[in-house]
Amino acid sequence: MSSRVLRKLGLQGEKELNCLGDDGSDTEADFSSSSGAKKKQLNVNRYDLLNQQSHSESEVKEDDDHETAGSLNAQEGAIDLKDATRRKKKKKKKKPCKIPSNTRSSEDNIEDEVERSVREVNEMLGEMQEVGPAHYSEASSMTANARKGVLSVDHRTLNPNNELRRIFGSKIIQNEQVKKRGRNRGHLRSTWLVSPKENWPQIGKPGLSMKLVETKNGVHYFTYEHSLNYQQVQMRFLEAVESLNPDFIVGIINTHPYHVDALLQLSDLCRLSDDLALAAELVQRALYCLECAFHPSFSVTLGNCRLDYRLQQNRSLYIALFKHMLFIGSRACYRTALEFCKLILSLDPEGDPLAVVLALDFYALRSQEYEWLIRIANDWEPTRNLSQLPHFAYSVAIAQFQLGDVEQAHILLQKALIMFPGVLLALTEKCNVQTDTRITSSPFFKNAQLTQSKSLTQLELLYVARSYHLWKESELVPWLESNVHQVLDRIEARDPMVLEWEAIRQKRYPNTPRNILRHIILSDIKDIPVLMNEELQVPVLNFDPLPPSDSVDLYTRPIRTRLYENDSTLSIFLRSLMPNFNIIQVTSDEPGAAEEGGEGSGVDLRRSVASLLDAMRDLLSNIHMSDVPGDGDIDDDPDSDEGRP
């Protein structure tokens, strides 16, 4: 109903209220008219018809008053007419005044306008019911289908503070946030991936942008773009990495505080110096810059946005998300880490360039998302063969056991023990579980790692190192022990499945894929060997580890002169940290030693190792002078950083 009609109704209501004045002139004029005319006018008024009972009662009272006045005039002619009129006014003062006949046309106009307004509103509502729900149902169905995907993400779970509130309570988290609150609040954009801190500089225009490449079958393909200024800074950064001087990288961040690769590289240097808080903050700042450059159509929640890992400029988002996921998981925010796992996997679910599927099961079990884990295992089994990975073979069995399906859990666990027997002894040793002699003396479990490929052993050790905490629950150890004895019974009965998988283990997993090697390098888990193939014997850079063989490079690294051949594993590892390191120059002062190649490097092994350790101390001292341990600490544990890229 329009406001103009409401104003007219308000004016008409005021006219009706004015009829009830104290002088009673309008009332007397109304009462002086005939009763038939009053009834006719009463029937015309639609507002009075809303309550017919009240109007009929008023008509009866009106007729009685007229009869009473006539009898008084006949019997008592001496009574003054003013007294009778005064009585009538006292009795009829509370009775609603009848609208005069000359206002009928204006009333009808108002009523027509009111009815027309009501009719227009009803027509509008009818159109909304006919057209609106159709579009709404279509949009809601599309949203529902998108949310039903196993890789859909709830943006509220991307904030680790929400999970910390559920664990420790909202008051503790609010008090911590109040302590860290500064005065420069409000100049940073609000983002979903990270919560920007108040001491961060304004982002401005860092030179990053994202464009939509194409859309196929409801899936959007995006790519990052670098401006000319950003490309110049990137070349300066690559030269700084080759020079192996951390001061150059710090200088780039001072002038360009949101250069993504420089932030990721400096984060690794801080992690090596045990400054984990600063390392995590640098990764968050890199993610903040990457999210501010998102395309308006890029969604982190629906799981239908793709980013080609082959393009060099796109890899920074993968690496930053992976490192951020690890830092969040180290804070026991497992549900948040699981959501970031799904986000990384949704960017390229087919290729999975960082092998996030190896960590997916761990975070799902720690966050008690058992049904989701079983769902993705069933949905992806026909195309991905997740059950042929040690992680999913054991984790799905645990999920079934936690949900109460004990019979199915027994079947899955026995199958996992038969498929991957090398997990058992490594797991019991890591959990400090004492096993009986029947298990330890069984050649099936004892010699499992000796009869299988090294790449499979690498996957099994990775699973044990990451997930052994899951098996420390009191209910799982007896369940595992009982199923191990049943597997031994099946081995003694020569179960065909045991012989089948023994042959499969010898043929499959010949080499470790490149994406799994990236996963191991970025995870930085101790005691996990990095098995490099011959073609992968290249320096490993943590901001871009092991680029794809079909990489589309926007930048070329500066060419360094190679003065060494037949490198050892130790030299490859140290050169991954220090690309300019030359083992020949370290191990020999003779001018002809460099020409002799790898053989000249073995003249004085002790001297070379001591010189290499001195170079490592110099690197760490340049990073953080106050946090570098003493010389005795490094000498006591010379292999503490073995396997780190």
Side-chain angles (χ1 to χ4, degrees):
M1 185 179 296
S2 62
S3 58
R4 181 171 58 86
V5 176
L6 293 176
R7 287 196 299 268
K8 289 185 177 182
L9 290 177
L11 294 175
Q12 185 63 32
E14 292 180 359
K15 291 180 180 180
E16 293 179 6
L17 292 176
N18 292 333
C19 295
L20 301 178
D22 293 335
D23 55 353
S25 58
D26 293 340
T27 306
E28 292 178 0
D30 183 33
F31 281 67
S32 62
S33 61
S34 62
S35 60
K38 292 178 183 178
K39 292 181 180 180
K40 183 177 181 181
Q41 184 177 355
L42 183 64
N43 293 332
V44 171
N45 193 346
R46 297 185 181 181
Y47 295 100
D48 293 337
L49 291 177
L50 296 177
N51 192 350
Q52 296 180 358
Q53 182 177 1
S54 61
H55 288 300
S56 60
E57 293 177 356
S58 62
E59 292 174 1
V60 173
K61 291 181 180 179
E62 185 180 349
D63 295 336
D64 294 341
D65 293 337
H66 283 287
E67 293 177 357
T68 305
S71 60
L72 288 174
N73 290 330
Q75 295 177 3
E76 301 176 359
I79 298 178
D80 193 358
L81 181 61
K82 293 184 179 181
D83 294 336
T85 304
R86 190 182 300 110
R87 291 181 184 179
K88 293 179 183 179
K89 185 171 63 176
K90 289 181 180 180
K91 291 182 181 180
K92 302 298 181 179
K93 184 177 293 185
K94 295 182 180 180
K95 183 178 179 297
C97 174
K98 298 298 181 295
I99 300 175
S101 60
N102 56 359
T103 61
R104 179 177 177 179
S105 59
S106 60
E107 177 186 350
D108 293 339
N109 293 333
I110 296 175
E111 291 176 3
D112 294 340
E113 190 171 357
V114 171
E115 292 178 356
R116 183 168 57 254
S117 301
V118 174
R119 185 170 58 255
E120 291 177 357
V121 173
N122 292 332
E123 290 177 357
M124 293 173 61
L125 292 176
E127 292 177 358
M128 293 178 62
Q129 292 176 357
E130 294 176 0
V131 180
H135 293 284
Y136 177 75
S137 60
E138 182 179 357
S140 62
S141 62
M142 294 175 60
T143 305
N145 294 332
R147 289 183 178 178
K148 290 180 182 178
V150 292
L151 299 182
S152 60
V153 178
D154 186 1
H155 70 89
R156 293 171 296 182
T157 58
L158 295 175
N159 189 353
N161 292 330
N162 295 333
E163 187 170 2
L164 291 175
R165 289 188 184 95
R166 293 195 301 267
I167 298 174
F168 302 104
S170 59
K171 293 184 179 180
I172 297 177
I173 304 302
Q174 289 176 357
N175 293 334
E176 292 294 329
Q177 292 178 352
V178 169
K179 292 180 182 179
K180 297 179 181 179
R181 185 172 298 171
R183 297 180 179 179
N184 299 326
R185 187 175 183 84
H187 67 279
L188 295 175
R189 291 175 53 182
S190 177
T191 55
W192 283 357
L193 298 181
V194 295
S195 298
K197 297 186 178 181
E198 298 164 355
N199 59 347
W200 291 0
Q202 294 186 10
I203 188 169
K205 295 181 179 180
L208 275 178
S209 61
M210 179 184 286
K211 74 171 184 178
L212 177 63
V213 179
E214 60 180 352
T215 301
K216 291 182 179 179
N217 300 325
V219 179
H220 309 289
Y221 295 86
F222 298 88
T223 183
Y224 275 102
E225 290 184 334
H226 294 174
S227 64
L228 294 177
N229 185 26
Y230 195 93
Q231 294 180 18
Q232 296 175 359
V233 178
Q234 182 72 13
M235 293 304 300
R236 286 177 51 195
F237 164 74
L238 294 176
E239 293 175 357
V241 171
E242 294 296 331
S243 67
L244 196 67
N245 191 341
D247 294 337
F248 292 164
I249 300 177
V250 174
I252 292 175
I253 294 179
N254 288 334
T255 55
H256 301 85
Y258 287 101
H259 187 267
V260 176
D261 288 343
L263 292 170
L264 296 178
Q265 185 69 14
L266 187 59
S267 174
D268 290 328
L269 298 177
C270 294
R271 180 178 54 83
L272 290 175
S273 61
D274 294 332
D275 193 351
L276 300 181
L278 181 58
E281 182 177 349
L282 292 173
V283 173
Q284 292 176 13
R285 190 188 295 186
L287 267 181
Y288 174 70
C289 178
L290 290 168
E291 185 176 1
C292 289
F294 278 175
H295 190 273
S297 301
F298 188 89
S299 174
V300 298
T301 58
L302 298 181
N304 61 347
C305 298
R306 304 289 183 264
L307 211 64
D308 193 353
Y309 191 81
R310 296 175 302 171
L311 299 178
Q312 191 177 22
Q313 61 271 24
N314 292 341
R315 299 171 200 159
S316 299
L317 181 61
Y318 284 89
I319 304 300
L321 287 173
F322 193 92
K323 292 178 178 294
H324 185 59
M325 175 196 70
L326 294 178
F327 282 121
I328 289 176
S330 63
R331 297 171 58 188
C333 298
Y334 300 115
R335 177 59 190 280
T336 307
L338 175 62
E339 298 301 317
F340 275 97
C341 274
K342 295 191 289 185
L343 175 57
I344 300 172
L345 193 57
S346 67
L347 297 178
D348 189 359
E350 299 297 331
D352 191 12
L354 299 184
V356 184
V357 70
L358 299 179
L360 203 64
D361 59 307
F362 169 72
Y363 292 120
L365 292 177
R366 295 295 286 180
S367 59
Q368 299 181 359
E369 294 291 327
Y370 306 123
E371 296 180 354
W372 180 87
L373 179 61
I374 296 173
R375 177 187 174 188
I376 191 174
N378 295 331
D379 292 348
W380 285 21
E381 179 62 24
T383 57
R384 301 290 295 272
N385 296 324
L386 295 181
S387 62
Q388 298 185 16
L389 292 173
H391 308 76
F392 266 84
Y394 283 89
S395 296
V396 174
I398 295 177
Q400 292 286 4
F401 181 81
Q402 296 291 353
L403 291 176
D405 193 353
V406 181
E407 295 182 359
Q408 184 67 18
H410 288 332
I411 296 173
L412 293 176
L413 182 58
Q414 293 177 23
K415 183 179 179 181
L417 290 169
I418 293 174
M419 294 168 61
F420 309 104
V423 173
L424 179 62
L425 294 182
L427 182 62
T428 54
E429 182 181 358
K430 196 75 174 178
C431 296
N432 297 324
V433 176
Q434 298 294 331
T435 58
D436 54 15
T437 56
R438 185 188 181 191
I439 298 175
T440 56
S441 61
S442 173
F444 181 75
F445 294 107
K446 185 178 181 180
N447 302 325
Q449 295 184 359
L450 300 177
T451 59
Q452 64 188 16
S453 63
K454 294 182 179 180
S455 60
L456 178 57
T457 303
Q458 187 182 39
L459 289 176
E460 293 175 347
L461 294 179
L462 178 62
Y463 168 70
V464 172
R466 175 174 283 157
S467 304
Y468 73 95
H469 293 286
L470 297 170
W471 292 94
K472 288 187 175 182
E473 296 184 10
S474 58
E475 298 179 354
L476 294 181
V477 174
W479 172 60
L480 174 63
E481 185 178 2
S482 63
N483 282 277
V484 170
H485 284 286
Q486 294 183 16
V487 170
L488 292 176
D489 295 337
R490 295 175 63 176
I491 294 173
E492 294 176 356
R494 295 187 177 275
D495 192 330
M497 183 179 179
V498 177
L499 300 176
E500 178 185 357
W501 270 97
E502 185 176 356
I504 291 176
R505 284 195 303 273
Q506 295 177 358
K507 296 179 181 179
R508 293 187 179 181
Y509 317 101
N511 297 319
T512 304
R514 194 184 293 249
N515 61 340
I516 295 180
L517 291 176
R518 293 192 199 104
H519 181 94
I520 296 174
I521 292 171
L522 293 174
S523 298
D524 192 28
I525 299 177
K526 295 181 179 180
D527 302 329
I528 304 299
V530 181
L531 302 176
M532 293 286 190
N533 301 330
E534 294 181 358
E535 64 273 9
L536 298 179
Q537 299 291 345
V538 294
V540 177
L541 302 174
N542 275 9
F543 68 91
D544 187 12
L546 300 179
S549 57
D550 55 348
S551 174
V552 181
D553 295 336
L554 182 63
Y555 306 96
T556 56
R557 294 176 55 186
I559 300 176
R560 292 182 291 107
T561 304
R562 181 178 177 87
L563 299 176
Y564 36 81
E565 295 178 358
N566 301 327
D567 298 339
S568 62
T569 304
L570 182 59
S571 64
I572 293 174
F573 161 68
L574 289 173
R575 196 165 61 253
S576 68
L577 294 176
M578 300 174 291
N580 279 348
F581 172 74
N582 189 355
I583 191 171
I584 298 175
Q585 296 177 358
V586 173
T587 57
S588 178
D589 296 332
E590 300 178 359
E595 299 178 358
E596 296 177 2
E599 296 179 358
S601 62
V603 176
D604 191 355
L605 182 59
R606 294 182 180 178
R607 180 183 174 187
S608 64
V609 172
S611 300
L612 295 176
L613 292 177
D614 290 338
M616 293 179 63
R617 293 191 192 96
D618 293 339
L619 174 64
L620 295 177
S621 63
N622 290 331
I623 297 171
H624 243 286
M625 183 67 69
S626 59
D627 293 338
V628 175
D631 294 342
D633 298 338
I634 297 179
D635 291 335
D636 292 339
D637 190 9
D639 298 331
S640 60
D641 289 337
E642 183 178 358
R644 290 188 178 181

